[in-house]
Amino acid sequence: MKTHTAPAGQRHACVIGAGIVGAATAQALAERGWRVTLVDAQPQAGRGESLGNGAQLSYSYVEPLATPDALKNLPKWLLSPTSPLRWRPQPRLGHARWLSEFIAACQWPTVRRTSEQLLALAAESRHTLHRWLAAQPGRAEATRHTRPGKLVIYRKPEALAGVQRQIDWQRAWGCEQAIVGADEVKRLEPALAATGGGPIAFGVWTASEEVIDAARLAVLLAESSGATLRLGQRVTALQRDAAGRVVACLLAPADAAAGQAAERLEADAFVLAAGPATLQLLRPLGGRPPIEPIKGYSVSLPIVDDGAAPRVSITDNGRKLVHARLGDRLRVAGFAELIGMNRELPPRRIEALCQAVRETFPGACRFDDVQPWTGLRPATPSGRPQVGPTRWPGLWLNAGHGALGLTLACGSASLLADLMAGETPPLNPEPFRVTA
Ligand SMILES: Cc1cc2nc3c(=O)[nH]c(=O)nc-3n(C[C@H](O)[C@H](O)[C@H](O)COP(=O)(O)OP(=O)(O)OC[C@H]3O[C@@H](n4cnc5c(N)ncnc54)[C@H](O)[C@@H]3O)c2cc1C
């Protein structure tokens, strides 16, 4: 077994997982003077749950999934065959605990408190991302970063009062959003003039919302961090010394047969940023982070009629779908299925996404070159990621970003790197404390 150690003098951090969260963590640590090794089982950064995501930097849309409305609608959603939600009960204590914590979080005071905490983290994330993109010309283009603004469209007029309340409340937290009528919706996004699926009642316009290609951003951050990249390498175990400190991890080529000799990688600190796989890596230590995979789908479709495809980032509230233009393709993402670590791509889900595009933006896309994708959102019951030290000295966590991993990655990376450097972060780390 080979053993790698860091050169004397510089602290060495090993980040496990080069998804958007791990790649951002590598960048934030390198900035603070750490020597970083970034490990991933995939051959490239950003290939996990970040690869085909909705591409939304949703800085003003951080309300958690657990709300009283979600709880009220749950029976209806679960019984409908076309519902955007699906749940398959699993005979695991961790699953039952996650569900009971999710239900407990479905109260307005909790939703408000969590939203405030996530808005603060999102603001830090935007600030950090902008700084990193501005560090070198060409980075915005390379990552397809744009600020098209976001329009959330509603087809049910009765939703207006609740939406207005939410916007008024968010204004106090610096979110500049406006309710706009159906005519203004079509002026802001002319491609919606021909939309099917019922008349639009109103929309919410947030001019400051952004879009970025998560996979490209992960590659950029992994490379620009200067980290030693150990791609195609799977971490098979974390090792502790006699005092219980995590001092090494075992690596094996991702395609290695079970039992093949592993390499031992030592570091001063380890960061677990393994998305939904975080649970598997912590289980041998006795850790049970409350992270469940919530499955979603996307399709990326070639745009054939520029004027018929949206330029603005569109969220269809009724269908719970997001649409973003990435280069010459339209990315549409949605669905939330609590069915375990399942990566099947059922044709009916892909067809449902394609059908939604046909109806919402008729004539905009071709359907003979669909890029289908599925990913597992690593979700905590509260919607807050877990960022900070674990109860095992030497081991830190940055995981559980759920539906907002791209939006929150740079902020949580910066928060974690501050904590690891012993510096006071610009936001309160307590809400993101690790409970594993
Ligand atoms: C359909 C869908 C749409 C979404 N849309 C958005 C959106 O619009 N905006 C937004 O903010 N968020 C969105 N999300 C959420 C976002 O994609 C996730 O929160 C985010 O990708 C999580 O990033 P991560 O780095 O934690 O996990 P990952 O990207 O999965 O990274 C974890 C990495 O760890 C690696 N790994 C795991 N185990 C090991 C091991 N043992 N050894 C080595 N490597 C290992 C994996 O290979 C992987 O690359 C969406 C998610 C889905 C599914």
Side-chain angles (χ1 to χ4, degrees), residues 133-159:
L133 290 179
Q136 230 175 53
R139 285 189 169 182
E141 293 72 23
T143 54
R144 295 176 167 151
H145 178 241
T146 55
R147 201 177 95 165
K150 185 201 261 296
L151 248 181
V152 183
I153 55 171
Y154 292 81
R155 297 177 205 272
K156 291 189 176 157
E158 61 271 25

Side-chain angles (χ1 to χ4, degrees), residues 167-297:
I167 286 178
D168 290 345
W169 178 79
Q170 292 214 160
R171 191 165 298 121
W173 298 95
C175 301
E176 290 186 12
Q177 300 173 291
I179 293 192
V180 291
D183 288 345
E184 182 64 2
V185 163
K186 288 169 194 162
R187 195 193 64 76
L188 287 163
E189 180 43 77
L192 281 170
T195 198
I200 293 171
F202 67 95
V204 176
W205 171 238
T206 314
S208 56
E209 296 291 73
E210 303 170 19
V211 161
I212 201 163
D213 187 319
R216 286 176 175 228
L217 179 62
V219 170
L220 181 130
L221 293 176
E223 287 173 356
S224 67
S225 70
T228 302
L229 301 181
R230 301 298 311 271
L231 301 175
Q233 297 286 319
R234 186 179 301 286
V235 173
T236 55
L238 296 165
Q239 290 194 327
R240 286 181 289 169
D241 65 10
R245 183 178 183 84
V246 174
V247 290
C249 68
L250 297 185
L251 293 183
D255 54 3
Q260 187 173 320
E263 175 188 336
R264 188 166 185 273
L265 182 77
E266 292 180 354
D268 303 306
F270 288 81
V271 179
L272 255 186
T278 300
L279 189 61
Q280 279 101 300
L281 281 162
L282 273 183
R283 201 173 278 142
L285 303 187
R288 300 272 182 277
I291 297 175
E292 284 282 308
I294 299 189
K295 188 178 183 188
Y297 303 87

Side-chain angles (χ1 to χ4, degrees), residues 64-66 97-103 105 290-291 379-384:
L65 197 59
R97 193 185 67 175
W98 191 96
L99 284 175
S100 74
E101 286 179 23
F102 179 90
I103 291 167
I291 297 175
T380 62
S382 67
R384 288 187 302 266

Side-chain angles (χ1 to χ4, degrees), residues 15-24 39-58 150 212 214 218 230 232-237 250-252 254 272-278 280-281 294-298 322 324 331-335 343 353 373-379 398-409:
V15 179
I16 301 169
I20 189 60
V21 173
V39 183
D40 202 293
Q42 297 283 342
Q44 214 182 5
R47 307 289 293 185
E49 318 313 329
S50 315
L51 181 63
N53 77 11
Q56 316 276 313
L57 292 166
S58 295
K150 185 201 261 296
I212 201 163
R230 301 298 311 271
Q233 297 286 319
R234 186 179 301 286
V235 173
T236 55
L250 297 185
L251 293 183
L272 255 186
T278 300
Q280 279 101 300
L281 281 162
I294 299 189
K295 188 178 183 188
Y297 303 87
S298 76
V322 297
R331 169 90 46 90
V332 190
F335 296 116
R343 294 191 184 274
L353 290 173
W373 179 78
T374 183
L376 305 172
R377 304 173 184 93
N398 196 359
H401 295 71
L404 290 169
L406 176 58
T407 306
L408 301 177

